[in-house]
Amino acid sequence: GDLPAGELNRLNAELRRELLRTGQAVLGRTELGPQRAVHLKLTLLNPRATPADVDALLALVARTGDRLAGAVP
């Protein structure tokens, strides 16, 4: 669902910290626009990373975000 901007910013920041804390992923963070909206980003450093690796990372981000938002127990 659609979250208010402030809640989405908080969720994105919390998601990034959770993945880093658990050692599952290191995502970058940037703030864009006049509202300083929090966006997550990834940088591929491993030349052997495959599209399947990116898909798995995006699925992990979605699952973690859903859990943190309370959509999934």
Side-chain angles (χ1 to χ4, degrees):
D2 292 321
L3 294 174
E7 181 65 15
L8 183 57
N9 288 342
R10 183 204 59 76
L11 178 62
N12 278 341
E14 183 180 353
L15 192 158
R16 179 179 174 268
R17 286 189 304 269
E18 175 72 6
L19 292 176
L20 181 61
R21 183 187 67 75
T22 61
Q24 295 179 83
V26 177
L27 297 176
R29 171 189 168 145
T30 192
E31 297 179 12
L32 296 173
Q35 305 299 322
R36 305 302 296 162
V38 175
H39 294 267
L40 302 177
K41 58 186 180 173
L42 64 102
T43 302
L44 298 177
L45 299 176
N46 182 347
R48 293 188 175 143
T50 65
D53 295 326
V54 175
D55 289 344
L57 175 58
L58 295 176
L60 172 65
V61 168
R63 282 192 314 273
T64 304
D66 285 346
R67 181 176 55 77
L68 294 173
V72 176

